[in-house]
Each structure stands twice: as C-alpha cells, then as structure tokens.
Amino acid sequence: MGGDVDVAFDLELPHGRCVGVRIPDGEALESLAQALRDEERAHAAAFGAPRRRTWIAGRTALREALARAGAEASAVLPDDRGAPGLPAGIVGSVSHKDRIAVGLVAREGAARIGVDVEIDAPRSIDIASKVLRPEELAALSALPAAARGSELLVRFSAKEAVYKALDPFVRRYVGFREVALTPQPDGTAQVAMHLAQGEGPFRVEVRWLRREDLILTTARVERA
Ligand SMILES: CC(C)(COP(=O)(O)OP(=O)(O)OC[C@H]1O[C@@H](n2cnc3c(N)ncnc32)[C@H](O)[C@@H]1OP(=O)(O)O)[C@@H](O)C(=O)NCCC(=O)NCCS
C-alpha cells in the first residue's frame, strides 16, 4: 500500500470491505499513479486528465480494499463491460466523485457486488422522473419536502450500485425504472425487479448509509 494514500474511511460492510480515498492533485496524484501496476499506469495514460485522475484514485481505493481484505491482485484492468476485472473468487466495484473514490471488495463465488458514492447535497436538476418508477415517485412525494432530495439520492445511488452488481449477469444497459427501491430506516432496502427482458430471478440486496456529507450504497446480486 502506498504511504501517501489519504484514506477517508475503511468500513467492513455486509457486502464487503469498503475503502474511501480522498483524490489528490499534482504530485500527490502522481505518487498514487506510481504505486499502480505498470499495466494500470499504461491504461490510465490513455485518458484525458480528469478521467485519469478518478481512474487512478478508483484503482487506489480498490487496491487498499483488496489489501485490507487480505487479497492480493495483480493489475486490475477493465473487463469487456467496463467493470474492474478481478481474479476468480474475488469480486469488487469502484465509484468516484470529484474528490472521493471508493473501492468495495469481497470474496464471493457466484455473487457480484456494486458500490456507489454520492455527495449528499441538493442537485440543481430534478432527476426524480428519470430515475424513479411511479410508485417510488409517490413514496417520495409523501415525505417532508426537506427530506426528498437526499432520499432521491439514496435511491439513485442504490440503483447504480445494483446496476454494477447486476450487469455481469445480464450484460446490458438496465434502465433506472427497471428496479424499484424502498430504503428502510435500518440501512437496508426493499428491492423489486422489473427487468424489461425478464432475466432472473435474482436475489438482490441493498445497503445504504450516510457518512459525513456522503451517501454510500452497496448491492449484492446472485441468481435466486
Ligand atoms: C456504469 C455506471 C453505473 C457508472 O456510474 P457513474 O455514476 O457514471 O460512475 P461511478 O463513478 O459511480 O462508477 C464508475 C465505475 O463503474 C464501473 N463500471 C463501469 N461499467 C460497469 C459495468 N458494466 N458493470 C460494473 N461496473 C461498471 C467502473 O469501475 C467505473 O470506474 P472505473 O472506470 O474508474 O473503474 C453508469 O454510468 C451507468 O451506465 N448506469 C446504467 C444505468 C443504471 O445505473 N441503472 C440502474 C438500474 S439497475
């Protein structure tokens, strides 16, 4: 593990070991790049600066999570769907925003996992009608107005985490309205699948939490 990594959190979650890394710029970013494997550094070199920065940080978070989970991995390059390609028996997922990157890792045979991080702050564009099903919109509008924005972000984030865990099974774009979520106060969520192509059945678990100004969601998917 590189000594220069600024770890924001390290959590043992129900779906895996989850490490958040603050994303630096300048020399500190180059120091993270130097700690990557040669193939990863070469892969990152093909990106423009903003994408290179988040990709390096995402790989750093993933590597930190792997090390903390006691799993070593050689270079983690994208698979043919864009997900991190990990050795058999280890699954993982990555998410990043401008200032934070998150890696989630677990030892799983048949299940897949996903992670998503969002900044828990009001958004200027109302994405509710694009992201939510009618029954979810109704549930949202029943909440106090001040709570709706953050609740929408929890649902949005959890759907992205579900997508990352589900894509290895369905290998297609899954629309936001193909999954309905009802977050529960205990950090779980009820999940109803409405897959347009009828794939499955799947057992889908979601967990969510708020931490500082972040919303962090994870998902675990396996064939039922
Ligand atoms: C792929 C997607 C989820 C990425 O989300 P995002 O908010 O743009 O970006 P994030 O930072 O959270 O995640 C990016 C990471 O997703 C991962 N990813 C990309 N494609 C993936 C796939 N097909 N399966 C699993 N993980 C994938 C990659 O690790 C990527 O980071 P990296 O390229 O640096 O390794 C999103 O762009 C998308 O296409 N969503 C599809 C629709 C959806 O979410 N539907 C929900 C209903 S299930």
Side-chain angles (χ1 to χ4, degrees):
M1 282 181 275
D4 301 338
V5 180
D6 186 356
V7 173
F9 55 82
D10 172 15
L11 303 170
E12 192 74 70
L13 297 178
H15 298 150
R17 191 74 178 241
C18 187
V19 174
V21 166
R22 292 190 188 88
I23 310 182
D25 289 296
E27 279 180 28
L29 179 69
E30 295 316 313
S31 153
L32 297 189
Q34 285 310 314
L36 297 182
R37 303 293 162 101
D38 291 346
E39 301 94 312
E40 292 172 327
R41 212 168 29 256
H43 186 82
F47 292 130
R51 179 80 176 99
R52 177 177 177 271
R53 178 174 173 269
T54 54
W55 198 87
I56 289 168
R59 284 305 185 273
T60 303
L62 196 60
R63 189 162 302 287
E64 293 285 327
L66 282 163
R68 287 164 156 82
E72 274 302 317
S74 49
V76 182
L77 297 173
D79 69 12
D80 64 330
R81 298 284 302 162
L86 289 157
I90 300 175
V91 293
S93 183
V94 169
S95 180
H96 29 63
K97 285 282 164 276
D98 185 52
R99 60 182 161 83
I100 189 103
V102 176
L104 177 73
V105 164
R107 291 180 191 275
E108 293 276 7
R112 294 290 179 269
I113 57 175
V115 69
D116 188 74
V117 65
E118 300 294 331
I119 310 295
D120 192 7
R123 299 282 170 99
S124 51
I125 303 168
D126 182 8
I127 54 169
S129 60
K130 290 204 172 92
V131 168
L132 301 184
R133 293 176 60 82
E135 64 271 28
E136 296 178 289
L137 281 169
L140 199 73
S141 61
L143 293 176
R148 285 178 207 154
S150 184
E151 171 83 1
L152 172 60
L153 280 176
V154 170
R155 290 173 185 252
F156 171 73
S157 176
K159 289 188 184 203
E160 295 222 309
V162 167
Y163 174 75
K164 291 173 188 173
L166 181 64
D167 183 85
F169 297 99
V170 299
R171 298 182 60 80
R172 68 172 176 87
Y173 178 87
V174 178
F176 283 93
R177 281 179 278 186
E178 293 183 59
V179 177
L181 289 169
T182 310
Q184 303 294 304
D186 65 357
T188 64
Q190 289 173 1
V191 184
M193 304 300 278
H194 301 273
L195 293 178
Q197 297 185 18
E199 301 99 327
F202 297 106
R203 187 171 301 116
V204 182
E205 288 177 7
V206 165
R207 295 285 195 285
W208 65 273
L209 60 86
R210 291 191 179 89
R211 187 187 169 92
E212 298 171 4
D213 65 342
L214 302 177
I215 291 169
L216 184 66
T217 61
T218 66
R220 180 181 183 278
V221 174
E222 64 183 337
R223 291 196 188 279

